[in-house]
């Protein structure tokens, strides 16, 4: 039977190919060290769990909740932005709770996109940034991801040559998967461009607190004067507080855009379970020690990964932020492409990583390595990798890229 229209617009989910291979290897007894999916392995801090357990005992919290988030939660998010970024938000009109930043992005796309609208999207980038708009009927125009002077000439060409004129520009810093970090000066240039051309800015700041230079925490685009006129920013508690399964995030910023998202969500969900929202409020109102500990764990893992993989023969540039490293495939394997190389690592080294092609065609020479295993397991992965690389000349003579048959 013919695929449904919106399903036809989605390409094959390349990560699933690695996942199937990983599951098959594990079923065969292999000990796969999984550095693929960005699924935090750290436990949610005890105080947050305790608050959930306390509140869930009250049967009144078992009823439908508020789609936009309970008032205390929205006030806590506004207070966080004031402390962290010096940004003042009205919790009634400029903050909405989402079921993670991914849901927020997807529903914002539904709220603002008409069929054929052009969206400027970095490449490579987290898949929902593009596919949320594709499912809403939009058209993606790929942009540079590095936040420097190379970012703006393609934007100028896009505005000049796109019909219709682009509706929105997506930002993601610290970036998943590349780990690039933007500066306030870069954001100033972006906001000036967006205002000049009447373009919406949608900023994904999910990794705001996972950074490794204590003197340069990642900024918010909303720190730029006038940004509130054109921008909305999405954040998540998944990585910051090790709460991925809790599905708690936020969209904040421009009142008109937040109102549109809030209205769409009101038709689609009743919000997160109230005890989760109360526990999230408790987390946001905390002293920040939980965030500092999470950051410290990822910093140690990053340092071990960079050192151990480098000694094994796989150069991994140290990321300045996020829980990921973005590494170019060793030259002798680059012709295979990232998907085939990722499959090889599962088969030959018992390591799972995310193929860069899954984040866009500009990522096909890279793999994303997630810091979701402890330091011992990362060192074990490096030993497996070293063994594979040292014997590859003798064991890979019959490996041919699938692209060679096309």
């Amino acid at each position: 039977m013919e695929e449904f229209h919106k399903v036809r617009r989605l390409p094959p989910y390349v990560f699933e190919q690695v996942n199937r291979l990983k599951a098959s290897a594990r079923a065969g007894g292999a000990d796969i060290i999984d550095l693929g999916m960005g699924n935090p392995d750290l436990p949610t801090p005890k105080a947050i769990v305790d608050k959930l357990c306390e509140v869930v005992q009250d049967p009144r919290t078992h009823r439908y909740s508020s789609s936009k988030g309970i008032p205390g939660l929205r006030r806590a998010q506004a207070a966080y932005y004031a402390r962290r970024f010096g940004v003042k938000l009205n919790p009634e009109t400029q903050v909405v709770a989402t079921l993670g930043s991914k849901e927020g992005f997807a529903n914002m796309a539904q709220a603002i996109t008409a069929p054929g609208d052009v969206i400027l999207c970095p490449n490579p980038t987290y898949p929902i940034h593009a596919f949320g708009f594709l499912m809403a009927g939009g058209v993606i125009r790929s942009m540079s991801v590095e936040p420097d002077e190379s970012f703006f000439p393609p934007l100028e060409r896009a505005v000049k040559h796109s019909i219709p004129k682009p509706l929105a520009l997506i930002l993601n810093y610290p970036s998943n998967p590349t780990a690039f970090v933007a500066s306030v000066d870069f954001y100033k240039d972006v906001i000036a461009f967006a205002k000049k051309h009447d373009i919406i800015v949608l900023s994904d700041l999910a990794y705001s607190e996972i950074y490794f230079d204590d003197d340069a925490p990642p900024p918010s685009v909303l720190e730029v004067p006038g940004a509130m006129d054109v921008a909305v920013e999405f954040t998540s508690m998944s990585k910051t507080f090790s709460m991925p399964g809790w599905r708690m995030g936020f969209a904040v910023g421009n009142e008109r855009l937040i109102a549109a998202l809030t209205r769409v969500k009101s038709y689609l969900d009743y919000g997160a379970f109230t005890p989760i929202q109360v526990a999230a409020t408790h987390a946001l109102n905390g002293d920040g020690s939980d965030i500092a500990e999470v950051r410290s764990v990822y910093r140690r893992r990053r340092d071990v990964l960079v050192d151990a993989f480098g000694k094994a023969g796989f150069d991994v540039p140290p990321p300045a932020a996020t829980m990921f490293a973005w590494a170019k495939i060793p030259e002798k394997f680059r012709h295979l492409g990232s998907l085939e190389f990722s499959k090889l690592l599962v088969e030959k080294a018992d390591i799972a990583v995310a193929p860069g092609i899954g984040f866009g065609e500009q990522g096909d020479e890279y793999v994303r390595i997630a810091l979701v295993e402890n330091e011992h397991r990362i060192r074990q992965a490096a030993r497996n990798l070293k063994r594979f690389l040292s014997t590859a000349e003798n064991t890979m003579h019959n490996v041919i890229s699938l692209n060679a048959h096309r």
Side-chain angles (χ1 to χ4, degrees):
M1 296 178 65
E2 186 178 359
E3 289 277 18
F4 295 109
H5 170 69
K6 289 191 176 182
V7 176
R8 284 203 309 271
R9 301 200 76 196
L10 299 176
Y13 194 58
V14 298
F15 302 119
E16 184 57 32
Q17 297 186 46
V18 177
N19 290 340
R20 284 199 301 268
L21 194 61
K22 180 175 63 180
S24 176
R26 282 177 168 162
D31 177 21
I32 302 297
I33 301 172
D34 194 350
L35 306 175
M37 184 178 178
N39 192 4
D41 64 312
L42 301 177
T44 304
K46 183 176 183 299
I48 301 173
V49 176
D50 288 346
K51 177 57 70 173
L52 173 74
C53 294
E54 172 194 331
V55 178
V56 80
Q57 300 302 319
D58 184 348
R60 291 174 299 178
T61 67
H62 301 176
R63 305 176 73 180
Y64 290 129
S65 191
S66 168
S67 178
K68 68 184 293 186
I70 60 176
L73 178 61
R74 287 182 278 115
R75 288 194 296 268
Q77 176 68 351
Y80 160 74
Y81 258 77
R83 291 192 310 269
R84 174 69 166 80
F85 304 112
V87 172
K88 185 177 180 180
L89 295 168
N90 182 336
E92 292 301 317
T93 60
Q94 295 178 312
V95 180
V96 59
T98 63
L99 305 179
S101 58
K102 188 173 184 179
E103 176 267 321
F105 241 94
N107 279 328
M108 180 62 82
Q110 294 293 330
I112 68 175
T113 311
D117 276 344
V118 176
I119 308 299
L120 305 176
C121 183
N123 188 337
T125 195
Y126 187 53
I128 195 63
H129 296 155
F131 297 126
F133 285 93
L134 283 174
M135 286 188 283
V139 176
I140 298 300
R141 180 158 182 154
S142 294
M143 308 304 300
S144 170
V145 67
E146 195 157 3
D148 59 17
E149 64 279 357
S150 69
F151 187 85
F152 292 95
L155 287 187
E156 296 285 358
R157 290 195 296 272
V159 169
K160 183 177 180 180
H161 297 294
S162 296
I163 299 175
K165 178 180 69 66
L167 170 73
L169 167 64
I170 296 170
L171 303 176
N172 176 213
Y173 303 106
S175 168
N176 176 11
T178 65
F180 290 137
V181 179
S183 67
V184 172
D185 285 342
F186 171 78
Y187 283 145
K188 287 179 180 177
D189 291 340
V190 169
I191 293 301
F193 178 90
K195 289 191 146 191
K196 176 182 177 182
H197 297 289
D198 191 26
I199 292 174
I200 295 165
V201 174
L202 302 175
S203 170
D204 184 347
L205 193 63
Y207 296 92
S208 60
E209 303 306 331
I210 311 300
Y211 59 89
F212 308 121
D213 181 353
D214 292 334
D215 295 326
S220 161
V221 70
L222 297 178
E223 293 179 40
V224 177
M228 208 73 73
D229 297 336
V230 295
V232 163
E233 194 155 65
F234 299 83
T235 59
S236 170
M237 301 190 72
S238 296
K239 279 72 179 181
T240 303
F241 292 98
S242 301
M243 296 171 64
W246 299 54
R247 307 315 302 137
M248 196 76 254
F250 301 92
V252 306
N254 177 268
E255 290 189 4
R256 177 171 174 257
L257 292 168
I258 293 298
L261 173 59
T262 301
R263 185 171 182 183
V264 166
K265 280 178 57 61
S266 72
Y267 282 92
L268 298 178
D269 69 69
Y270 285 107
F273 187 36
T274 297
I276 289 177
Q277 296 193 50
V278 175
T281 303
H282 183 74
L284 287 168
N285 288 333
D287 62 7
S289 59
D290 292 333
I291 301 173
E293 177 55 30
V294 167
R295 190 184 302 130
S296 177
V297 169
Y298 285 129
R299 180 187 286 112
R300 292 194 299 270
R301 291 180 180 183
R302 177 202 65 165
D303 293 344
V304 168
L305 176 76
V306 170
D307 178 66
F309 273 47
K311 289 177 179 176
F314 190 174
D315 182 41
V316 177
T322 76
M323 55 186 290
F324 306 112
W326 183 242
K328 204 160 195 175
I329 299 169
E331 188 171 358
K332 71 170 69 174
F333 303 101
R334 212 165 289 162
H335 68 284
L336 296 174
S338 60
L339 179 56
E340 295 306 309
F341 178 69
S342 298
K343 290 180 179 179
L344 272 179
L345 288 184
V346 174
E347 294 174 342
K348 306 291 187 180
D350 292 340
I351 302 169
V353 298
I357 189 67
F359 303 96
E361 66 272 16
Q362 297 302 319
D364 200 24
E365 292 188 344
Y366 295 81
V367 293
R368 192 194 71 179
I369 307 169
L371 303 173
V372 292
E373 293 271 13
N374 63 41
E375 295 166 45
H376 170 74
R377 294 282 283 172
I378 292 172
R379 290 190 179 96
Q380 179 61 54
R383 289 192 291 271
N384 294 359
L385 179 66
K386 184 175 182 178
R387 184 172 61 249
F388 162 59
L389 294 177
S390 65
T391 60
E393 295 289 349
N394 299 323
T395 61
M396 287 195 49
H397 59 278
N398 62 340
V399 175
I400 301 174
S401 170
L402 292 181
N403 293 327
H405 299 295
R406 296 173 184 166

